[in-house]
């Protein structure tokens, strides 16, 4: 009777797979215990860096306590037994090879379904119900562990893109180099990728060689090592090693709410470290955009880039020249719209990467105290502030600020300190945009807005009623006004035009009329037309034939 009562009160340890995860055998208390379950230090005599690159032994599997560099093999074996017991893991996970994987139970991590997009959960559940393995992976898992609220949720699965398409009628397959499925729910898109595997070079394409013959291939590389086709599928273990950074190689499943760490991502998150999986130089050559991702993550998360991951960046930054300008534009938008634009730009300059993205701008930013440097800095800070306040940002405004210094440099070469006419500004704008397009593409919808912001700068020196009314009614007035304030704050002398427009917007209708009348009062008098000389007028009249007089038509 006593044994029966004990079982009723405490149950069997290690059996719970519910979302609440109240398993007595794995119950811990205090902050140290929570940290202990989420991170894992190196095994005896090994660093976490070594084990991220080499297969781990069976003694280096599930989580050790934090704050210690060594642990006993008995502890490791006990945790491995608990996490890999047939009663703890659901049948679907027991089919996976988890011998060298840190498997973290629900009660030992802070990820909750409440913070995951309902649509992402739908995709996970439906793929599982269809008989496939499906995991939340990448930046979404990383940000959830850091207590953030991700906007994008990516899913990795053993289903091929075609199989995903069969499960979800609201999906479509995109991409040639890297096939993925987009499952659309209204405005939200859930990206679903298939587990990738390492593959040997099937076809090598020389620089400048046509790539038409690789369209239907699953594997192809350039002669420099860049992956041109990457559609060889594998297991989840292989997929983890194919991901870029350890902090992005964490997998979360709704099938028991377990967290899988294949490459020591949890310790790197704890230590605030960006570390490349595998050999950094080789991985950068496979996809040079990883250089930009390393910088973006370091700035966004306020993490440090590991020394081995950091060292090749400056040397290999030139590989970005092989990336299409359209893809580089997409990446630069991500760089500057993640809430850390100022820190990102600083890292781009420190690692000599900005030369391959904004060379026209960098030519004008030699002195940090110059007006041009302050304008760019203020624009980046303004972008971060707007995002922090939940406001929208547009690449057009940011590019308008980044390209303003080179455009002004062209005008100064021709006009010096004299005001340049609007037509000259328009020509200079065209030249600057064309030069920038050699580095990153800028869609026409953004260049059109940039031009409007720039042109309004010439029209925002208030002079007449007609001018004021046309400017304030312009659809780009607010963006142009913000840009005008940044120019004044950077040190440009604009005759207090920004202050005038600020007071005008705050004034009521009567006060606005007074301000406009004040403009008329100080308006310079019109020049009188010069009367023609009598002698020249007479000779001119003599040269013209006399017009024949006609009588007006009668009624």
């Amino acid at each position: 009777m006593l044994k029966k009562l004990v079982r009723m009160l405490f149950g069997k340890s290690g059996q719970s797979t519910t979302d609440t995860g109240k398993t007595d055998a794995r119950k811990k208390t205090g902050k140290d215990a929570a940290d202990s379950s989420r991170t894992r230090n190196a095994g005896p005599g090994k660093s976490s860096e070594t084990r991220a690159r080499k297969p781990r032994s069976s003694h280096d599997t599930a989580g050790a306590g934090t704050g210690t560099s060594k642990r006993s093999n008995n502890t490791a074996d006990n945790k491995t037994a608990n996490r890999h017991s047939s009663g703890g893991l659901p049948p679907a996970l027991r089919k996976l090879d988890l011998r060298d994987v840190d498997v973290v139970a629900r009660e030992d991590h802070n990820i909750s379904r409440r913070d995951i997009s309902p649509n992402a959960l739908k995709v996970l559940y439906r793929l599982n119900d269809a008989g496939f393995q499906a995991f939340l992976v990448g930046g979404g898992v990383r940000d959830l562990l850091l207590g953030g609220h991700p906007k994008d949720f990516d899913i990795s699965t053993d289903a091929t893109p075609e199989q995903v398409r069969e499960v979800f009628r609201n999906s479509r397959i995109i991409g040639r180099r890297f096939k993925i499925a987009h499952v659309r729910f209204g405005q939200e898109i859930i990206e679903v990728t298939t587990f990738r595997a390492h593959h040997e070079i099937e076809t090598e394409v020389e620089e400048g060689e046509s790539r038409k013959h690789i369209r239907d291939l699953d594997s192809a590389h350039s002669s420099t090592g860049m992956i041109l086709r990457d559609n060889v599928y594998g297991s989840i273990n292989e997929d983890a090693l194919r991901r870029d950074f350890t902090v992005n190689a964490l997998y979360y499943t709704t099938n028991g709410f377990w967290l899988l760490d294949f490459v020591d991502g949890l310790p790197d998150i704890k230590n605030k470290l960006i570390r490349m999986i595998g050999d950094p130089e080789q991985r950068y050559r496979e996809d040079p955009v990883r250089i930009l991702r390393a910088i973006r993550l370091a700035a966004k998360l306020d993490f440090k880039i590991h020394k081995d991951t950091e060292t090749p960046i400056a040397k290999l930054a030139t590989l970005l020249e092989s990336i299409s300008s359209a893809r580089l534009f997409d990446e630069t938008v991500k760089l500057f719209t993640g809430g850390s634009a100022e820190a990102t730009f600083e890292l781009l300059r420190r690692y000599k990467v900005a030369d391959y993205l904004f060379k026209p701008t960098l030519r004008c930013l030699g002195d940090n105290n110059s007006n041009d440097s302050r304008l760019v800095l203020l624009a980046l800070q303004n972008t971060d502030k707007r995002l922090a306040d939940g406001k929208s940002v547009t690449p057009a405004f940011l590019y308008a600020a980044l390209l303003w210094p080179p455009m002004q440099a062209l005008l100064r070469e021709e006009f010096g300190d004299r005001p340049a006419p609007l037509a000259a500004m328009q020509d200079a704008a065209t030249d600057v945009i064309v030069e920038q397009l050699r580095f990153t593409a800028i869609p026409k919808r953004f260049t059109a807005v940039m031009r409007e912001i720039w042109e309004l700068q010439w029209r925002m020196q208030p002079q007449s009623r007609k001018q004021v009314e046309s400017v304030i009614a312009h659809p780009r007035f607010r963006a142009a006004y913000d840009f005008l304030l940044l120019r004044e704050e950077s040190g440009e002398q604009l005759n207090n035009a920004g202050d005038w427009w600020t007071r005008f917007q705050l004034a009521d209708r009567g006060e606005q009329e007074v301000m406009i009348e004040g403009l008329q009062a100080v308006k310079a008098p019109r020049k009188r037309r010069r009367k023609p000389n009598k002698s020249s007028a007479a000779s001119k009249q003599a040269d013209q034939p006399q017009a024949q007089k006609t009588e007006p038509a009668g009624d």
Side-chain angles (χ1 to χ4, degrees):
M1 184 67 181
L2 181 60
K3 292 182 179 180
K4 183 177 180 181
L5 180 61
V6 170
R7 280 197 296 269
M8 291 176 60
L9 290 175
F10 299 103
K12 295 181 180 181
S13 63
Q15 300 296 320
S16 174
T17 59
T18 63
D19 195 22
T20 56
K22 297 179 180 178
T23 308
D24 292 317
R26 302 181 53 78
K27 192 176 295 181
K28 297 182 180 181
T29 59
K31 182 178 179 181
D32 292 338
D35 288 342
S36 172
S37 64
R38 292 185 198 136
T39 61
R40 173 172 42 80
N41 291 320
K46 293 185 178 181
S47 66
S48 61
E49 176 184 357
T50 302
R51 290 187 294 108
R53 297 181 180 177
K54 298 180 180 180
R56 290 172 285 180
S57 69
S58 60
H59 296 293
D60 293 326
T61 50
T66 59
T68 60
S69 59
K70 296 183 179 181
R71 63 182 177 186
S72 67
N73 288 341
N74 290 335
T75 303
D77 290 339
N78 290 338
K79 291 189 177 238
T80 302
N82 283 337
R83 292 182 177 181
H84 296 173
S85 64
S86 59
L89 291 172
L93 291 185
R94 291 202 298 271
K95 297 178 182 178
L96 302 178
D97 179 7
L98 301 179
R99 289 172 296 177
D100 298 322
V101 181
D102 188 3
V103 185
V104 185
R106 171 63 188 93
E107 64 269 22
D108 295 333
H109 63 75
N110 64 330
I111 296 179
S112 171
R113 286 174 293 173
R114 292 190 300 270
D115 300 321
I116 301 175
S117 162
N119 293 322
L121 292 174
K122 287 180 185 177
V123 175
L124 290 170
Y125 284 126
R126 287 180 61 181
L127 284 173
N128 287 335
D129 291 343
F132 299 107
Q133 294 277 1
F135 296 84
L136 196 67
V137 69
V141 178
R142 178 200 68 224
D143 292 344
L144 287 170
L145 288 170
L146 291 171
H149 300 281
K151 294 182 180 178
D152 300 319
F153 293 92
D154 298 336
I155 291 172
S156 191
T157 177
D158 58 354
T160 65
E162 291 75 17
Q163 290 171 326
V164 174
R165 181 71 183 88
E166 292 178 2
V167 175
F168 298 95
R169 297 178 60 184
N170 55 324
S171 67
R172 66 188 184 102
I173 300 173
I174 67 168
R176 289 180 179 175
R177 171 182 170 272
F178 186 81
K179 282 186 181 180
I180 58 178
H182 276 179
V183 185
R184 180 180 290 276
F185 297 89
Q187 296 297 318
E188 185 179 12
I189 294 177
I190 305 299
E191 188 172 284
V192 182
T193 61
T194 305
F195 296 150
R196 255 63 181 185
H198 176 73
H199 48 96
E200 299 298 331
I201 298 177
E202 181 178 318
T203 300
E204 184 173 300
V205 181
E206 296 294 333
E207 291 298 319
E209 182 183 351
S210 173
R211 299 180 181 179
K212 292 182 179 180
H213 64 288
I214 68 170
R215 288 180 178 175
D216 298 325
L217 297 181
D218 293 329
S219 172
H221 293 68
S222 72
S223 57
T224 61
M226 185 169 69
I227 296 178
L228 303 178
R229 288 293 184 274
D230 188 13
N231 295 301
V232 178
Y233 306 133
S235 66
I236 186 174
N237 304 68
E238 294 172 308
D239 187 70
L241 296 177
R242 288 298 313 279
R243 295 196 170 269
D244 46 14
F245 307 106
T246 59
V247 296
N248 289 340
L250 298 164
Y251 295 73
Y252 170 83
T253 176
T254 53
N255 193 354
F257 315 107
W258 297 81
L259 184 65
L260 309 183
D261 180 8
F262 293 81
V263 289
D264 293 336
L266 290 171
D268 284 344
I269 287 179
K270 180 178 182 295
N271 296 325
K272 297 187 175 182
L273 202 61
I274 303 298
R275 186 200 306 268
M276 182 72 75
I277 300 172
D279 177 59
E281 184 166 337
Q282 178 186 348
R283 303 305 304 279
Y284 287 140
R285 290 187 182 278
E286 288 177 351
D287 187 0
V289 168
R290 287 173 178 152
I291 293 174
L292 302 181
R293 290 176 185 162
I295 292 174
R296 175 164 60 89
L297 284 178
K300 174 184 176 181
L301 304 176
D302 194 22
F303 281 18
K304 289 184 178 180
I305 302 178
H306 187 270
K307 183 179 180 181
D308 292 342
T309 304
E310 176 187 56
T311 301
I313 289 179
K315 180 180 73 171
L316 299 180
T318 183
L319 295 175
L320 291 170
E321 294 178 340
S322 63
I323 303 300
S324 69
S325 59
R327 189 179 178 199
L328 286 181
F329 172 79
D330 292 337
E331 291 298 326
T332 54
V333 171
K334 294 177 184 177
L335 285 170
F336 294 126
T337 56
S340 305
E342 181 183 0
T344 299
F345 194 70
E346 180 183 347
L347 290 179
L348 289 173
R349 298 183 71 180
R350 180 192 305 175
Y351 292 118
K352 311 299 181 184
V353 175
D355 289 340
Y356 302 95
L357 300 175
F358 305 107
K359 194 168 186 177
T361 300
L362 293 183
R363 286 199 306 262
C364 306
L365 304 184
D367 182 6
N368 290 333
N369 294 320
S370 67
N371 291 347
D372 291 335
S373 295
R374 286 196 295 269
L375 175 69
V376 171
L377 178 63
L378 289 169
L380 297 172
Q381 292 174 346
N382 178 69
T383 300
D384 290 341
K385 186 177 184 304
R386 288 184 62 86
L387 290 170
D389 294 340
K391 298 179 181 178
S392 63
V393 296
T394 171
F397 186 91
L398 193 56
Y399 268 88
L402 289 169
L403 297 183
W404 180 262
M407 186 181 69
Q408 289 291 87
L410 289 179
L411 295 176
R412 283 194 294 267
E413 288 179 5
E414 184 175 356
F415 298 96
D417 294 332
R418 293 179 290 115
L422 180 59
M425 186 280 298
Q426 292 170 335
D427 293 339
T430 299
D431 294 341
V432 168
I433 291 175
V434 168
E435 184 181 10
Q436 177 60 34
L437 292 178
R438 292 168 43 201
F439 301 92
T440 65
I442 310 177
K444 287 185 178 180
R445 67 182 184 275
F446 295 132
T447 58
V449 176
M450 291 162 54
R451 288 178 177 275
E452 289 178 311
I453 291 174
W454 288 340
E455 291 177 9
L456 281 171
Q457 303 305 301
W458 264 253
R459 297 168 55 190
M460 293 186 77
Q461 295 291 335
Q463 295 180 354
S464 65
R465 176 185 297 275
K466 182 178 180 181
Q467 181 191 31
V468 170
E469 291 177 348
S470 66
V471 167
I472 204 164
H474 197 284
R476 307 298 175 199
F477 167 76
R478 184 66 200 186
Y481 166 72
D482 291 341
F483 195 83
L484 184 72
L485 296 183
L486 291 183
R487 290 175 61 201
E488 284 192 335
E489 190 176 353
S490 69
E492 285 193 57
Q493 300 300 319
L494 303 175
N495 299 322
N496 296 320
D499 177 67
W500 192 93
W501 284 105
T502 300
R503 290 187 291 108
F504 186 82
Q505 293 177 81
L506 296 175
D508 58 29
R509 185 58 186 169
E511 294 171 333
Q512 289 179 348
E513 287 292 332
V514 172
M515 293 178 69
I516 292 176
E517 291 175 1
L519 294 176
Q520 306 289 349
V522 300
K523 187 176 179 180
R526 294 181 61 184
K527 294 183 179 180
R528 294 183 180 181
R529 294 183 61 185
R530 185 176 178 182
K531 291 183 178 181
N533 191 308
K534 290 184 179 181
S535 58
S536 60
S539 60
K540 185 177 180 180
Q541 185 176 5
D543 292 338
Q544 294 178 351
Q546 296 220 349
Q548 185 177 358
K549 293 183 179 180
T550 57
E551 293 292 335
D555 292 337

